[in-house]
PDB file of all heavy atoms in Angstrom:
ATOM      1  N   ASN A1688      -5.185  -1.469 -16.622  1.00 88.00           N
ATOM      2  CA  ASN A1688      -4.320  -2.580 -17.015  1.00 88.00           C
ATOM      3  C   ASN A1688      -4.945  -3.928 -16.684  1.00 88.00           C
ATOM      4  O   ASN A1688      -4.658  -4.932 -17.335  1.00 88.00           O
ATOM      5  CB  ASN A1688      -2.968  -2.474 -16.314  1.00 88.00           C
ATOM      6  CG  ASN A1688      -2.102  -1.364 -16.890  1.00 88.00           C
ATOM      7  OD1 ASN A1688      -1.966  -1.239 -18.099  1.00 88.00           O
ATOM      8  ND2 ASN A1688      -1.516  -0.559 -16.022  1.00 88.00           N
ATOM      9  N   TYR A1689      -5.793  -3.956 -15.653  1.00 83.00           N
ATOM     10  CA  TYR A1689      -6.428  -5.198 -15.217  1.00 83.00           C
ATOM     11  C   TYR A1689      -7.620  -4.868 -14.325  1.00 83.00           C
ATOM     12  O   TYR A1689      -7.733  -3.752 -13.788  1.00 83.00           O
ATOM     13  CB  TYR A1689      -5.427  -6.084 -14.453  1.00 83.00           C
ATOM     14  CG  TYR A1689      -4.748  -5.376 -13.292  1.00 83.00           C
ATOM     15  CD1 TYR A1689      -5.318  -5.360 -12.015  1.00 83.00           C
ATOM     16  CD2 TYR A1689      -3.532  -4.716 -13.471  1.00 83.00           C
ATOM     17  CE1 TYR A1689      -4.711  -4.698 -10.966  1.00 83.00           C
ATOM     18  CE2 TYR A1689      -2.915  -4.048 -12.431  1.00 83.00           C
ATOM     19  CZ  TYR A1689      -3.512  -4.055 -11.173  1.00 83.00           C
ATOM     20  OH  TYR A1689      -2.903  -3.391 -10.137  1.00 83.00           O
ATOM     21  N   ARG A1690      -8.522  -5.828 -14.173  1.00 79.00           N
ATOM     22  CA  ARG A1690      -9.688  -5.652 -13.308  1.00 79.00           C
ATOM     23  C   ARG A1690      -9.231  -5.504 -11.860  1.00 79.00           C
ATOM     24  O   ARG A1690      -8.401  -6.266 -11.379  1.00 79.00           O
ATOM     25  CB  ARG A1690     -10.623  -6.852 -13.429  1.00 79.00           C
ATOM     26  CG  ARG A1690     -11.896  -6.731 -12.600  1.00 79.00           C
ATOM     27  CD  ARG A1690     -12.786  -7.949 -12.784  1.00 79.00           C
ATOM     28  NE  ARG A1690     -14.057  -7.798 -12.079  1.00 79.00           N
ATOM     29  CZ  ARG A1690     -14.258  -8.148 -10.811  1.00 79.00           C
ATOM     30  NH1 ARG A1690     -13.264  -8.690 -10.121  1.00 79.00           N
ATOM     31  NH2 ARG A1690     -15.437  -7.980 -10.245  1.00 79.00           N
ATOM     32  N   GLY A1691      -9.763  -4.506 -11.180  1.00 77.00           N
ATOM     33  CA  GLY A1691      -9.406  -4.296  -9.792  1.00 77.00           C
ATOM     34  C   GLY A1691      -8.244  -3.340  -9.586  1.00 77.00           C
ATOM     35  O   GLY A1691      -7.806  -3.134  -8.451  1.00 77.00           O
ATOM     36  N   GLU A1692      -7.716  -2.753 -10.661  1.00 84.00           N
ATOM     37  CA  GLU A1692      -6.621  -1.786 -10.507  1.00 84.00           C
ATOM     38  C   GLU A1692      -7.109  -0.593  -9.700  1.00 84.00           C
ATOM     39  O   GLU A1692      -8.159  -0.010  -9.993  1.00 84.00           O
ATOM     40  CB  GLU A1692      -6.128  -1.334 -11.889  1.00 84.00           C
ATOM     41  CG  GLU A1692      -4.885  -0.475 -11.834  1.00 84.00           C
ATOM     42  CD  GLU A1692      -4.301  -0.196 -13.208  1.00 84.00           C
ATOM     43  OE1 GLU A1692      -5.058  -0.301 -14.205  1.00 84.00           O
ATOM     44  OE2 GLU A1692      -3.101   0.103 -13.298  1.00 84.00           O
ATOM     45  N   VAL A1693      -6.361  -0.219  -8.669  1.00 87.00           N
ATOM     46  CA  VAL A1693      -6.857   0.822  -7.760  1.00 87.00           C
ATOM     47  C   VAL A1693      -6.729   2.221  -8.346  1.00 87.00           C
ATOM     48  O   VAL A1693      -7.555   3.096  -8.061  1.00 87.00           O
ATOM     49  CB  VAL A1693      -6.144   0.757  -6.392  1.00 87.00           C
ATOM     50  CG1 VAL A1693      -6.408  -0.557  -5.703  1.00 87.00           C
ATOM     51  CG2 VAL A1693      -4.649   1.003  -6.515  1.00 87.00           C
ATOM     52  N   ALA A1694      -5.699   2.453  -9.132  1.00 91.00           N
ATOM     53  CA  ALA A1694      -5.495   3.789  -9.689  1.00 91.00           C
ATOM     54  C   ALA A1694      -6.225   3.929 -11.020  1.00 91.00           C
ATOM     55  O   ALA A1694      -6.161   3.038 -11.872  1.00 91.00           O
ATOM     56  CB  ALA A1694      -4.011   4.065  -9.881  1.00 91.00           C
ATOM     57  N   ARG A1695      -6.918   5.043 -11.199  1.00 95.00           N
ATOM     58  CA  ARG A1695      -7.502   5.367 -12.492  1.00 95.00           C
ATOM     59  C   ARG A1695      -6.422   6.014 -13.347  1.00 95.00           C
ATOM     60  O   ARG A1695      -5.847   7.034 -12.965  1.00 95.00           O
ATOM     61  CB  ARG A1695      -8.702   6.278 -12.324  1.00 95.00           C
ATOM     62  CG  ARG A1695      -9.774   5.626 -11.460  1.00 95.00           C
ATOM     63  CD  ARG A1695     -11.116   6.267 -11.605  1.00 95.00           C
ATOM     64  NE  ARG A1695     -12.119   5.551 -10.811  1.00 95.00           N
ATOM     65  CZ  ARG A1695     -13.417   5.714 -10.925  1.00 95.00           C
ATOM     66  NH1 ARG A1695     -13.895   6.568 -11.813  1.00 95.00           N
ATOM     67  NH2 ARG A1695     -14.256   5.034 -10.165  1.00 95.00           N
ATOM     68  N   ARG A1696      -6.142   5.402 -14.484  1.00 97.00           N
ATOM     69  CA  ARG A1696      -5.030   5.810 -15.325  1.00 97.00           C
ATOM     70  C   ARG A1696      -5.435   6.922 -16.286  1.00 97.00           C
ATOM     71  O   ARG A1696      -6.510   6.895 -16.878  1.00 97.00           O
ATOM     72  CB  ARG A1696      -4.493   4.616 -16.123  1.00 97.00           C
ATOM     73  CG  ARG A1696      -3.984   3.472 -15.274  1.00 97.00           C
ATOM     74  CD  ARG A1696      -3.592   2.284 -16.139  1.00 97.00           C
ATOM     75  NE  ARG A1696      -2.540   2.625 -17.094  1.00 97.00           N
ATOM     76  CZ  ARG A1696      -2.611   2.381 -18.400  1.00 97.00           C
ATOM     77  NH1 ARG A1696      -3.688   1.805 -18.926  1.00 97.00           N
ATOM     78  NH2 ARG A1696      -1.625   2.723 -19.192  1.00 97.00           N
ATOM     79  N   TRP A1697      -4.550   7.908 -16.431  1.00 98.00           N
ATOM     80  CA  TRP A1697      -4.690   8.957 -17.432  1.00 98.00           C
ATOM     81  C   TRP A1697      -3.367   9.054 -18.167  1.00 98.00           C
ATOM     82  O   TRP A1697      -2.314   8.749 -17.610  1.00 98.00           O
ATOM     83  CB  TRP A1697      -5.027  10.297 -16.770  1.00 98.00           C
ATOM     84  CG  TRP A1697      -6.405  10.344 -16.179  1.00 98.00           C
ATOM     85  CD1 TRP A1697      -6.868   9.627 -15.104  1.00 98.00           C
ATOM     86  CD2 TRP A1697      -7.509  11.130 -16.628  1.00 98.00           C
ATOM     87  NE1 TRP A1697      -8.191   9.923 -14.850  1.00 98.00           N
ATOM     88  CE2 TRP A1697      -8.604  10.851 -15.780  1.00 98.00           C
ATOM     89  CE3 TRP A1697      -7.674  12.047 -17.670  1.00 98.00           C
ATOM     90  CZ2 TRP A1697      -9.841  11.454 -15.940  1.00 98.00           C
ATOM     91  CZ3 TRP A1697      -8.914  12.666 -17.827  1.00 98.00           C
ATOM     92  CH2 TRP A1697      -9.987  12.363 -16.973  1.00 98.00           C
ATOM     93  N   GLU A1698      -3.413   9.490 -19.425  1.00 98.00           N
ATOM     94  CA  GLU A1698      -2.186   9.634 -20.206  1.00 98.00           C
ATOM     95  C   GLU A1698      -2.081  11.051 -20.752  1.00 98.00           C
ATOM     96  O   GLU A1698      -3.092  11.703 -21.056  1.00 98.00           O
ATOM     97  CB  GLU A1698      -2.157   8.617 -21.349  1.00 98.00           C
ATOM     98  CG  GLU A1698      -3.311   8.714 -22.315  1.00 98.00           C
ATOM     99  CD  GLU A1698      -3.324   7.579 -23.335  1.00 98.00           C
ATOM    100  OE1 GLU A1698      -2.556   6.612 -23.157  1.00 98.00           O
ATOM    101  OE2 GLU A1698      -4.102   7.677 -24.305  1.00 98.00           O
ATOM    102  N   TYR A1699      -0.837  11.513 -20.861  1.00 98.00           N
ATOM    103  CA  TYR A1699      -0.596  12.846 -21.412  1.00 98.00           C
ATOM    104  C   TYR A1699      -0.828  12.819 -22.921  1.00 98.00           C
ATOM    105  O   TYR A1699      -0.385  11.897 -23.612  1.00 98.00           O
ATOM    106  CB  TYR A1699       0.830  13.298 -21.109  1.00 98.00           C
ATOM    107  CG  TYR A1699       1.083  13.537 -19.630  1.00 98.00           C
ATOM    108  CD1 TYR A1699       1.839  12.641 -18.874  1.00 98.00           C
ATOM    109  CD2 TYR A1699       0.569  14.652 -18.995  1.00 98.00           C
ATOM    110  CE1 TYR A1699       2.079  12.858 -17.531  1.00 98.00           C
ATOM    111  CE2 TYR A1699       0.799  14.889 -17.651  1.00 98.00           C
ATOM    112  CZ  TYR A1699       1.556  13.988 -16.917  1.00 98.00           C
ATOM    113  OH  TYR A1699       1.776  14.204 -15.579  1.00 98.00           O
ATOM    114  N   LEU A1700      -1.514  13.825 -23.414  1.00 98.00           N
ATOM    115  CA  LEU A1700      -1.811  13.878 -24.846  1.00 98.00           C
ATOM    116  C   LEU A1700      -0.557  14.010 -25.696  1.00 98.00           C
ATOM    117  O   LEU A1700      -0.550  13.622 -26.868  1.00 98.00           O
ATOM    118  CB  LEU A1700      -2.755  15.048 -25.146  1.00 98.00           C
ATOM    119  CG  LEU A1700      -4.161  14.973 -24.539  1.00 98.00           C
ATOM    120  CD1 LEU A1700      -5.012  16.126 -25.053  1.00 98.00           C
ATOM    121  CD2 LEU A1700      -4.829  13.643 -24.861  1.00 98.00           C
ATOM    122  N   ASP A1701       0.511  14.560 -25.110  1.00 97.00           N
ATOM    123  CA  ASP A1701       1.735  14.739 -25.895  1.00 97.00           C
ATOM    124  C   ASP A1701       2.656  13.518 -25.819  1.00 97.00           C
ATOM    125  O   ASP A1701       3.806  13.567 -26.252  1.00 97.00           O
ATOM    126  CB  ASP A1701       2.485  16.000 -25.458  1.00 97.00           C
ATOM    127  CG  ASP A1701       2.929  15.952 -23.998  1.00 97.00           C
ATOM    128  OD1 ASP A1701       2.697  14.918 -23.335  1.00 97.00           O
ATOM    129  OD2 ASP A1701       3.521  16.948 -23.521  1.00 97.00           O
ATOM    130  N   GLY A1702       2.149  12.418 -25.236  1.00 97.00           N
ATOM    131  CA  GLY A1702       2.920  11.180 -25.218  1.00 97.00           C
ATOM    132  C   GLY A1702       3.979  11.083 -24.136  1.00 97.00           C
ATOM    133  O   GLY A1702       4.821  10.177 -24.180  1.00 97.00           O
ATOM    134  N   GLN A1703       3.930  11.974 -23.157  1.00 97.00           N
ATOM    135  CA  GLN A1703       4.958  11.986 -22.107  1.00 97.00           C
ATOM    136  C   GLN A1703       4.623  11.079 -20.924  1.00 97.00           C
ATOM    137  O   GLN A1703       4.969  11.375 -19.784  1.00 97.00           O
ATOM    138  CB  GLN A1703       5.190  13.416 -21.629  1.00 97.00           C
ATOM    139  CG  GLN A1703       5.812  14.327 -22.670  1.00 97.00           C
ATOM    140  CD  GLN A1703       7.181  13.814 -23.094  1.00 97.00           C
ATOM    141  OE1 GLN A1703       8.080  13.677 -22.275  1.00 97.00           O
ATOM    142  NE2 GLN A1703       7.341  13.520 -24.383  1.00 97.00           N
ATOM    143  N   GLY A1704       3.946   9.954 -21.205  1.00 97.00           N
ATOM    144  CA  GLY A1704       3.708   8.986 -20.144  1.00 97.00           C
ATOM    145  C   GLY A1704       2.309   9.056 -19.570  1.00 97.00           C
ATOM    146  O   GLY A1704       1.380   9.562 -20.200  1.00 97.00           O
ATOM    147  N   GLU A1705       2.155   8.529 -18.359  1.00 97.00           N
ATOM    148  CA  GLU A1705       0.843   8.469 -17.720  1.00 97.00           C
ATOM    149  C   GLU A1705       0.915   8.955 -16.283  1.00 97.00           C
ATOM    150  O   GLU A1705       1.985   9.129 -15.700  1.00 97.00           O
ATOM    151  CB  GLU A1705       0.294   7.049 -17.756  1.00 97.00           C
ATOM    152  CG  GLU A1705       1.031   6.040 -16.884  1.00 97.00           C
ATOM    153  CD  GLU A1705       0.358   4.677 -16.895  1.00 97.00           C
ATOM    154  OE1 GLU A1705       0.562   3.912 -17.866  1.00 97.00           O
ATOM    155  OE2 GLU A1705      -0.361   4.376 -15.923  1.00 97.00           O
ATOM    156  N   ILE A1706      -0.257   9.159 -15.720  1.00 98.00           N
ATOM    157  CA  ILE A1706      -0.403   9.614 -14.346  1.00 98.00           C
ATOM    158  C   ILE A1706      -1.641   8.927 -13.790  1.00 98.00           C
ATOM    159  O   ILE A1706      -2.552   8.563 -14.551  1.00 98.00           O
ATOM    160  CB  ILE A1706      -0.512  11.159 -14.302  1.00 98.00           C
ATOM    161  CG1 ILE A1706      -0.408  11.682 -12.867  1.00 98.00           C
ATOM    162  CG2 ILE A1706      -1.776  11.659 -14.975  1.00 98.00           C
ATOM    163  CD1 ILE A1706      -0.191  13.195 -12.806  1.00 98.00           C
ATOM    164  N   GLY A1707      -1.670   8.681 -12.481  1.00 97.00           N
ATOM    165  CA  GLY A1707      -2.787   7.948 -11.903  1.00 97.00           C
ATOM    166  C   GLY A1707      -3.401   8.680 -10.719  1.00 97.00           C
ATOM    167  O   GLY A1707      -2.764   9.539 -10.093  1.00 97.00           O
TER     168      GLY A1707
END
Side-chain angles (χ1 to χ4, degrees):
N1688 287 313
Y1689 54 88
R1690 182 179 185 272
E1692 187 172 22
V1693 298
R1695 301 198 177 193
R1696 300 175 60 232
W1697 291 67
E1698 59 187 11
Y1699 293 106
L1700 295 186
D1701 61 3
Q1703 293 299 301
E1705 69 176 80
I1706 190 167

